[in-house]
Amino acid sequence: MELGHEYRWTVANVQTETPRIKNIYLESCSERPVFIAGQYLTVKLPDCSPAEGKAYSISSAPTESQVRLSIKRIGVFSEALLSLQSGDELITTAPYGFFYPEPEESSPLVFVVGGIGITPCLSIIKDLAYQQNSRPVQLHYSNQTESDIAFFAELEQLTAQHPNLSVMHYVTREQPANDAVTFGRMTIKSLLSHVDLSTDAEFFICGSMDFTKTLWKGLHGAGVPQHQLYTEGFF
Ligand SMILES: Cc1cc2nc3c(=O)[nH]c(=O)nc-3n(C[C@H](O)[C@H](O)[C@H](O)COP(=O)(O)OP(=O)(O)OC[C@H]3O[C@@H](n4cnc5c(N)ncnc54)[C@H](O)[C@@H]3O)c2cc1C
């Protein structure tokens, strides 16, 4: 049932994605609100402050039947969300946010992601893939360890099906076993070695506030104009 600008959902399923991230699949109790890939829901929990709720980006594409939130265990609020089970109810605000590419543009897209910041980017990447959009898309995705990498298989499947999508994994804390994963921090130099700046590529940076600020400053300092840099800082 829609309550003003609020929506009521039922938890349809909960799946473990990594040791610290779970996927919560939601079904709307009434008409599902329309969302743009990249937007988030503000989730309210009756016994958990803040009363106004916390933001969680949708990690599924708009055309998928269920809405998926992917929650990383951090503090009290995320812990409470991770204890939800199938059949539980949840209240959210309407989908919101401006972290998405303009549909009429055709320049390349470069997603620069730290950890759980993958959620809105995955939604956008899936949406573009399902629309058979021909924009070249790169994802540069940094995590601490290989076991922290969320959606590894989902991304592999998408890259196998969509030749215009390429994914670069980086891990910072331990030598990866997988050859496809680079050991070390994602640097501006390594990132830009994959991007032709004359193509007016647009950069979508998402992760912790520190990650987002550092990457924004680095890319801007390397010559990427401000209007080609989009950010979503998780706090
Ligand atoms: C637009 C937006 C979208 C978001 N989407 C998602 C999402 O898809 N999935 C998700 O899990 N979270 C997402 N978040 C973060 C989420 O809203 C909460 O901030 C997060 O769950 C932490 O809340 P908490 O109460 O559990 O922990 P808190 O009690 O707020 O945090 C405990 C400690 O962890 C630190 N901390 C908080 N967030 C992070 C972080 N991301 N990384 C590292 N340290 C952190 C805090 O500084 C604090 O010291 C999003 C935030 C925003 C603003």
Side-chain angles (χ1 to χ4, degrees), residues 9 25-28 32 35 60-68:
W9 307 79
Y25 293 86
L26 300 174
E27 276 169 6
S28 178
R32 197 177 101 175
F35 73 94
S60 51
T63 45
E64 289 178 84
S65 62
Q66 292 175 338
V67 166
R68 179 178 66 185

Side-chain angles (χ1 to χ4, degrees), residues 20-22 38-41 48-50 53-59 68-81 96-97 114 116-120 206-209 232-235:
R20 287 187 66 190
I21 300 173
K22 278 186 184 173
Q39 288 189 313
Y40 61 86
L41 297 172
C48 220
S49 72
K54 289 205 175 194
Y56 292 91
S57 298
I58 298 169
S59 64
R68 179 178 66 185
L69 300 182
S70 305
I71 314 292
K72 182 175 177 185
R73 187 180 310 277
I74 291 176
V76 175
F77 203 92
S78 52
E79 191 74 51
L81 275 177
Y96 192 72
I116 191 61
I118 189 63
T119 49
C206 189
S208 66
M209 292 303 280
E232 189 83 287
F234 285 6
F235 55 86

Side-chain angles (χ1 to χ4, degrees), residues 8 21 24 29 49 58 65 76 79 96-98 115 131-132 136 154 157 188 191 203 206 208 210 212 233:
R8 204 176 279 277
I21 300 173
I24 299 181
C29 294
S49 72
I58 298 169
S65 62
V76 175
E79 191 74 51
Y96 192 72
F98 302 96
Q131 290 171 26
Q132 307 282 354
E154 203 165 322
Q157 204 183 345
I188 300 298
L191 244 170
F203 292 79
C206 189
S208 66
D210 265 3
T212 309

